[in-house]
């Protein structure tokens, strides 16, 4: 849309509010609302003033004045507001310099797209992310000086099979939720309603299904799009899925590993590069890939340990990324093989379908930072012709220790991942896409507010292990 078309849309839908949204450094959507009378064509060039001092990972209080510049192309009507509300994503601007704010994740994603074009490798990067989630009926948690606990309940949870009252059975067994029909799959209708809401918001949805875990693990797949648009879509996807569930008295979480002993939630990211309307990843090499695609894989694998701090950015992420379980922690590539960190899907022989799938990411990641970082790693592989080594077409989980000794793996903790990012981030600085200051801020925030915060607190299971020692 153009600014004029946005105003016409607001009038057609009798919008009473304008809601501007942006993303903080960890990846949570933030918003500020105004009466519709405040929206004029001039707003698209002058912006709306906001206070950025309390936004996680942003400026200090003495540099907190910011401008939000509405992006007309993102305009839509909010499907959940009681008052008709027009929503737009905003880009963050420094009001003094009038430059894009360096800590705005969306700006970083836009710079990654511009860097791709500057390299000449391609002109468009397509990303398609598959974000899994859980649907719970009740969640409670607390942590203080003398207690720490969480309690999860889900009508579909296998642990409710022994309940005496109002129990009709039909629940997925642990690790057997892929893909039984209803009534074992409790959430067919709810996911269908989510899909209808997503389509109504302009997203192109390909399919939906129950996932492997019990207790309502689900997946709704979107069609791929350009890097920034795909990240915009992921933020909208989370918003819609959470709100539809909330309207039904349920809670959705994109936390990677909320259930012990069952599968966690990943965000497998399909990616490809095109130039002048042609896919540059298609070729005559391994699995129908071009040499450029193999180099791109080489970049992903070489920098995967550093990427982990951005694409698996929580302490909980490393409850999922555990060797020998369901997550792809081993840094290898393979066609079809889902136990490899990089998989080359083989559903179609069409050159247009040729892509690589990076499997370690999870949906707790900030999609703007995650997609940008993966593109930068892949481009580093292309520009430096990084050889990904031999493919690994065996089931990695069944390999012997001798066979596994030369296969590198993902970090085992957020703390280790942050150290890897500190040691290996020059590839992110190319084209000024990420800045040294941004990476220092990110690492500092994650260490202080997440890694150290969890490390300082006793874990409930430690009492089972050590109380009688």
């Amino acid at each position: 849309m153009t600014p004029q078309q946005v105003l016409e849309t607001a009038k057609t839908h009798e919008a009473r509010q304008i809601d501007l949204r942006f993303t903080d450094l960890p990846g949570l959507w933030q918003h500020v609302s105004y009466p519709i009378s405040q929206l004029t064509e001039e707003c698209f060039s002058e912006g709306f003033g906001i206070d950025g001092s309390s936004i996680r990972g942003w400026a200090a209080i003495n540099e907190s004045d910011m401008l939000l510049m509405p992006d007309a192309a993102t305009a839509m009507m909010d499907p959940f507001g009681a008052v008709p509300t027009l929503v737009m994503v905003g880009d963050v601007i420094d009001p003094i310099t009038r430059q894009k704010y360096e800590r705005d994740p969306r700006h970083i994603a836009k710079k990654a797209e511009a860097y791709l074009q500057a390299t000449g490798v391609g002109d468009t990067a397509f990303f398609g992310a598959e974000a899994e989630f859980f649907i719970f009926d009740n969640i409670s948690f607390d942590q203080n000086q003398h207690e720490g606990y969480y309690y999860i309940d889900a009508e579909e949870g296998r642990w409710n099979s022994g309940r005496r009252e109002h129990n009709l059975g039909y629940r997925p067994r642990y690790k057997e939720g892929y893909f039984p029909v209803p009534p074992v799959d409790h959430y067919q209708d709810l996911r269908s309603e989510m899909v209808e809401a997503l389509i109504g918001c302009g997203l192109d949805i390909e399919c939906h299904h129950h996932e492997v875990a019990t207790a309502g693990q689900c997946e709704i797949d979107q069609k791929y799009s350009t890097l920034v648009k795909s990240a915009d879509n992921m933020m909208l996807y989370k918003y819609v899925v959470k709100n539809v569930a909330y309207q039904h008295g349920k809670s959705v979480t994109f936390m990677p590993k909320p259930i012990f002993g069952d599968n966690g939630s990943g965000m497998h990211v399909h990616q490809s590069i095109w130039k002048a309307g042609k896919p540059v990843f298609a070729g005559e090499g391994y699995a129908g890939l071009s040499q450029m695609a193999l180099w791109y894989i080489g970049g992903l694998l070489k920098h995967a340990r550093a990427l982990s701090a951005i694409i698996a950015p929580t302490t909980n992420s490393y409850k999922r990324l555990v060797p020998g379980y369901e997550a792809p922690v081993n840094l290898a590539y393979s066609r079809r093989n889902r136990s490899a960190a990089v998989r080359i899907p083989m559903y179609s022989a069409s050159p247009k379908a040729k892509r690589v799938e990076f499997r370690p990411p999870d949906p707790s990641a900030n999609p703007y930072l995650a997609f940008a970082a993966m593109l930068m790693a892949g481009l580093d592989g292309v520009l430096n012709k990084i050889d990904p080594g031999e493919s690994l077409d065996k089931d990695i989980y069944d390999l012997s220790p001798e066979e596994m000794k030369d296969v590198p793996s993902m970090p085992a903790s957020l703390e280790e991942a942050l150290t890897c990012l500190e040691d290996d981030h020059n590839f992110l600085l190319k084209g000024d896409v990420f800045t040294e200051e941004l990476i220092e801020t990110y690492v500092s925030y994650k260490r202080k507010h997440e890694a150290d915060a969890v490390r300082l607190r006793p874990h409930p299971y430690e009492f089972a292990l050590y109380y009688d020692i």
Side-chain angles (χ1 to χ4, degrees):
M1 290 194 215
T2 64
Q4 182 58 42
Q5 288 172 325
V6 172
L7 295 176
E8 292 171 0
T9 298
K11 184 177 180 180
T12 299
H13 291 277
E14 299 182 343
R16 306 301 301 160
Q17 296 279 314
I18 169 71
D19 195 59
L20 295 183
R21 299 183 180 174
F22 58 97
T23 307
D24 64 11
L25 200 60
L28 190 66
W29 236 4
Q30 310 287 329
H31 77 136
V32 57
S33 300
Y34 305 88
I36 198 66
S37 60
Q38 298 297 308
L39 182 64
T40 64
E41 274 198 72
E42 289 72 28
C43 294
F44 291 88
S45 57
E46 296 177 2
F48 291 82
I50 62 167
D51 175 6
S53 62
S54 296
I55 305 302
R56 296 182 300 174
W58 278 24
I61 196 167
N62 61 316
E63 299 176 335
S64 58
D65 286 354
M66 301 286 173
L67 288 174
L68 269 183
M69 309 296 286
D71 183 343
T74 65
M76 67 166 201
M77 293 300 296
D78 192 317
F80 304 108
V83 175
T85 300
L86 181 77
V87 174
M88 283 185 284
V89 175
D91 291 308
V92 186
I93 304 292
D94 186 305
I96 306 299
T97 65
R98 304 294 295 188
Q99 299 297 309
K100 298 289 182 67
Y101 184 46
E102 291 295 339
R103 296 189 193 179
D104 177 10
R106 195 168 190 256
H107 174 48
I108 293 168
K110 287 186 172 182
K111 287 193 292 182
E113 286 186 322
Y115 176 69
L116 167 63
Q117 296 175 3
T119 64
V121 171
D123 50 44
T124 308
F126 287 114
F127 280 74
E130 305 167 345
E132 299 163 353
F133 57 90
F134 280 88
I135 302 172
F136 295 145
D137 290 280
N138 188 65
I139 176 72
S140 57
F141 50 87
D142 199 6
Q143 177 83 56
N144 53 48
Q145 282 75 13
H146 71 282
E147 62 182 355
Y149 65 88
Y150 66 89
Y151 175 79
I152 295 168
D153 201 13
E155 171 59 32
E156 199 197 69
R158 186 68 180 180
W159 58 84
N160 276 317
S161 295
R163 197 177 64 206
R164 294 290 182 177
E165 293 84 21
H166 308 293
N167 189 355
L168 301 178
Y170 298 124
R171 296 181 177 88
R173 300 175 186 88
Y174 294 101
K175 294 184 177 291
E176 292 188 23
Y178 202 79
F179 331 114
V181 298
V184 177
D185 176 1
H186 287 212
Y187 297 119
Q188 171 69 19
D189 290 339
L190 182 55
R191 286 196 313 273
S192 295
E193 188 172 329
M194 291 172 177
V195 166
E196 290 299 307
L198 290 164
I199 292 172
C201 288
L203 297 190
D204 192 347
I205 303 301
E206 294 184 329
C207 70
H208 68 94
H209 57 83
H210 201 285
E211 259 297 337
V212 175
T214 191
Q217 190 184 35
C218 299
E219 181 179 312
I220 300 174
D221 289 342
Q222 311 174 49
K223 187 175 181 180
Y224 64 87
S225 189
T226 56
L227 190 155
V228 173
K229 181 61 176 172
S230 187
D232 286 344
N233 290 348
M234 183 54 65
M235 299 305 297
L236 178 58
Y237 169 86
K238 288 185 173 183
Y239 174 74
V240 170
V241 166
K242 288 178 180 179
N243 276 279
V244 171
Y246 193 75
Q247 289 180 331
H248 286 265
K250 299 183 185 297
S251 179
V252 157
T253 181
F254 289 91
M255 184 176 174
K257 188 74 171 182
I259 301 291
F260 168 67
D262 212 337
N263 280 36
S265 294
M267 185 179 72
H268 308 147
V269 181
H270 298 253
Q271 43 206 288
S272 65
I273 295 175
W274 288 51
K275 186 174 184 179
K278 296 182 179 180
V280 301
F281 277 10
E284 302 299 323
Y286 174 81
L289 294 178
S290 66
Q291 181 61 65
M292 185 178 292
L294 291 169
W295 287 332
Y296 189 96
I297 291 172
L300 285 176
L301 295 177
K302 177 181 178 180
H303 300 298
R305 288 174 58 80
L307 287 174
S308 63
I310 298 173
I311 57 97
T314 67
T315 59
N316 187 251
S317 299
Y318 298 88
K319 304 295 193 296
R320 168 181 172 261
L321 292 175
V322 177
Y325 290 85
E326 82 275 3
V329 299
N330 300 295
L331 300 177
Y333 72 101
S334 175
R335 60 187 172 196
R336 303 178 66 185
N337 191 342
R338 284 172 166 79
S339 64
V342 176
R343 184 178 76 95
I344 299 93
M346 301 298 291
Y347 298 120
S348 171
S350 170
K352 293 182 178 180
K354 195 53 61 179
R355 62 197 186 273
V356 301
E357 177 192 9
F358 194 47
R359 295 178 63 80
D362 68 55
S364 68
N366 182 326
Y368 297 103
L369 301 182
F371 298 168
M374 284 184 278
L375 178 62
M376 296 302 289
L379 288 176
D380 188 63
V382 173
L383 296 173
N384 291 291
K385 300 181 178 180
I386 297 174
D387 184 357
E390 292 296 319
S391 63
L392 195 55
D393 292 324
K394 300 177 182 178
D395 185 342
I396 295 172
Y397 303 137
D398 289 337
L399 296 182
S400 67
E402 183 66 23
E403 292 174 299
M404 284 298 302
K405 69 178 183 180
D406 295 325
V407 180
S409 63
M410 295 288 282
S413 67
L414 177 59
E415 181 64 38
E416 184 182 352
L418 292 170
T419 299
C420 290
L421 180 59
E422 286 178 316
D423 294 341
D424 175 25
H425 62 258
N426 285 338
F427 70 98
L428 296 173
L429 305 179
K430 303 292 177 60
D432 198 36
V433 175
F434 289 75
T435 65
E436 195 77 57
E437 190 269 344
L438 184 281
I439 291 172
E440 289 176 0
T441 299
Y442 182 88
V443 169
S444 175
Y445 178 90
K446 286 286 179 179
R447 274 222 171 93
K448 178 180 179 182
H449 296 285
E450 298 181 31
D452 287 350
V454 170
R455 187 162 55 88
L456 286 169
R457 287 165 168 80
H459 188 284
Y461 193 59
E462 289 178 319
F463 286 84
L465 290 173
Y466 307 127
Y467 189 76
D468 61 350
I469 202 166

